[in-house]
Amino acid sequence: MILIEISDDAKHEITTKHFQDIQKNSKKIIEHLEALKKYDALYNYLVDIRVENDESIKGLRIENLKPLICANSKKQLMDQIIVMENLLKGIVFSQKANINDIRRDILVVFEKVYTNFSNRKWAYDFLRILNNDVCPYCNRTFTMFINNKQKPEFDHYFPKNMYPYLAISIFNLIPICSNCNRGKSSNHVSIDKQNILYPYEEEFANDITFTTDFDKIESWTNRDEQFAIKLVGENEDVISAYNNAFKIDELYSLHSDYARDLYKKSIITNEDFIINLYRSFPELFDSVTEVKELVYGVYLDKAGYGKRPLSKMINDLLNEITKN
């Protein structure tokens, strides 16, 4: 729904620190990877074994692991899926192994590595760098965190039951609310289709918007009257996926009180009123936009949607009111 704004410098910082964190914990990770030794090609792809003074020294195979865990775009993640799927197909052919058994074994190992990561300080530092306070899937719930105590849940954008080797790929991890994490399933995102948008690169913007029926005046004067707030747009597959996974239309219709108050504010605080406030309190506001943001309680620039819940809905409905 909304974009997690992240600069190239922040991406570089995240991938660098993530790789350093994995290296720092490589001994424990290699211990977990021992469970995959029965799949020679996979094990040797991830673990480097060299002999020094007649002694075997094990380390992570950096040239293969780094692109996997530090892929920083949807394309790079999909490229890694292709690489890993070809590797797994080779194992199926050479060892007559069952692909589902291989995925299950990889998942057991990588879930342990992911759990350890999610409990370390780096997981909280990652969230601090992202600096996104609202769930990007629903834009309804805060995802703020308290160091080493409480944090949002991580969604695996490409589902870990389908692509278990991406379980610790840092930009496959999306900080979201618990409701959305329960709702999203493997049905909506795969290498073939992504009807749930990738929040690090994609957003609804003006292609998909919230709307309601502003013609029914009784809805705006009767607090007991409820009315529908729904998504509209050309991409019906995406809208259907968000409603199926996150129940967006149902949940947002529960916020009809916000829409009602927004409609009333738009009448009371017309443009002249806003400008008058700005001129009356120049020490409080740097712009007319700041006054509007105070009145409506959200940031009007989409770059701020990740700071306050319901920002996307309120902006869309405000634009609709303005047009009417």
Side-chain angles (χ1 to χ4, degrees):
M1 179 178 288
I2 65 170
L3 187 70
I4 298 178
E5 301 269 356
I6 183 167
S7 67
D8 289 340
D9 287 343
K11 272 191 175 184
H12 177 72
E13 181 182 3
I14 288 169
T15 53
T16 299
K17 290 184 175 179
H18 187 52
F19 183 62
Q20 290 171 345
D21 178 75
I22 294 298
Q23 282 187 307
K24 183 179 178 181
N25 294 276
S26 61
K27 183 177 180 180
K28 187 67 176 177
I29 293 172
I30 291 171
E31 289 177 7
H32 290 314
L33 290 173
E34 290 297 300
L36 298 176
K37 285 186 74 172
K38 59 183 175 181
Y39 306 118
D40 291 343
L42 176 61
Y43 181 77
N44 292 327
Y45 186 82
L46 299 173
V47 178
D48 180 30
I49 304 175
R50 63 187 186 277
V51 178
E52 294 183 5
N53 300 322
D54 296 326
E55 183 181 355
S56 294
I57 307 296
K58 294 180 180 179
L60 297 174
R61 195 173 289 280
I62 303 304
E63 66 271 24
N64 295 332
L65 191 64
K66 188 173 183 179
L68 181 66
I69 65 172
C70 294
N72 66 7
S73 67
K74 187 163 79 168
K75 182 183 182 305
Q76 288 185 13
L77 287 168
M78 293 174 72
D79 287 344
Q80 286 302 307
I81 289 174
I82 293 171
V83 170
M84 295 302 294
E85 288 300 307
N86 285 335
L87 180 63
L88 299 191
K89 288 175 183 176
I91 295 171
V92 169
F93 178 78
S94 63
Q95 297 187 215
K96 302 297 185 285
N98 182 282
I99 188 69
N100 293 325
D101 290 341
I102 301 173
R103 291 191 202 284
R104 188 163 50 248
D105 289 341
I106 297 173
L107 182 60
V108 169
V109 170
F110 273 71
E111 271 198 326
K112 291 177 181 177
V113 179
Y114 165 73
T115 299
N116 290 338
F117 150 80
S118 65
N119 291 324
R120 290 197 295 269
K121 179 178 179 294
W122 163 233
Y124 293 88
D125 290 343
F126 170 51
L127 292 169
R128 185 180 298 105
I129 297 170
L130 288 180
N131 192 30
N132 191 80
D133 296 332
V134 179
C135 176
Y137 287 151
C138 69
N139 194 221
R140 291 181 66 248
T141 307
F142 278 118
T143 53
M144 294 173 175
F145 66 97
I146 302 173
N147 279 347
N148 302 319
K149 294 181 180 179
Q150 182 177 323
K151 67 178 184 299
E153 297 182 9
F154 284 116
D155 168 51
H156 291 78
Y157 178 74
F158 287 103
K160 64 179 184 291
N161 65 325
M162 293 174 65
Y163 312 104
Y165 40 78
L166 294 182
I168 54 168
S169 299
I170 194 66
F171 281 102
N172 194 44
L173 304 180
I174 316 293
I176 65 172
C177 68
S178 58
N179 284 340
C180 285
N181 206 22
R182 285 194 298 269
K184 183 172 173 282
S185 66
S186 305
N187 298 328
H188 304 296
V189 175
S190 69
I191 193 169
D192 298 316
K193 65 174 183 178
Q194 302 91 44
N195 287 330
I196 302 297
L197 303 186
Y198 182 61
Y200 292 118
E201 297 173 358
E202 301 164 333
E203 61 182 330
F204 280 3
N206 295 323
D207 301 328
I208 299 176
T209 60
F210 286 100
T211 187
T212 190
D213 190 352
F214 284 101
D215 294 329
K216 296 181 179 179
I217 190 63
E218 66 273 10
S219 298
W220 308 104
T221 57
N222 183 359
R223 285 194 169 273
D224 296 326
E225 180 97 12
Q226 285 219 319
F227 47 90
I229 297 172
K230 62 183 181 180
L231 292 172
V232 294
E234 294 183 2
N235 197 328
E236 295 181 0
D237 289 340
V238 169
I239 293 174
S240 176
Y242 274 76
N243 279 321
N244 183 276
F246 311 127
K247 307 295 185 284
I248 295 297
D249 286 358
E250 291 181 55
L251 288 172
Y252 269 83
S253 291
L254 299 176
H255 295 303
S256 56
D257 57 331
Y258 279 83
R260 181 181 287 110
D261 289 346
L262 181 67
Y263 183 77
K264 292 177 180 178
K265 285 178 182 178
S266 70
I267 296 173
I268 298 169
T269 58
N270 57 34
E271 195 69 20
D272 289 338
F273 180 86
I274 296 291
I275 293 173
N276 186 51
L277 277 179
Y278 172 62
R279 290 173 177 170
S280 299
F281 301 97
E283 71 280 5
L284 295 181
F285 305 107
D286 291 330
S287 66
V288 171
T289 298
E290 274 195 26
V291 182
K292 290 181 178 180
E293 289 175 341
L294 176 67
V295 170
Y296 296 119
V298 296
Y299 293 106
L300 299 180
D301 186 338
K302 69 182 182 67
Y305 286 4
K307 294 300 177 188
R308 292 184 183 174
L310 306 180
S311 293
K312 166 70 173 167
M313 178 197 77
I314 290 176
N315 273 277
D316 287 347
L317 295 187
L318 189 59
N319 288 334
E320 190 171 354
I321 291 171
T322 303
K323 289 177 182 178
N324 291 341

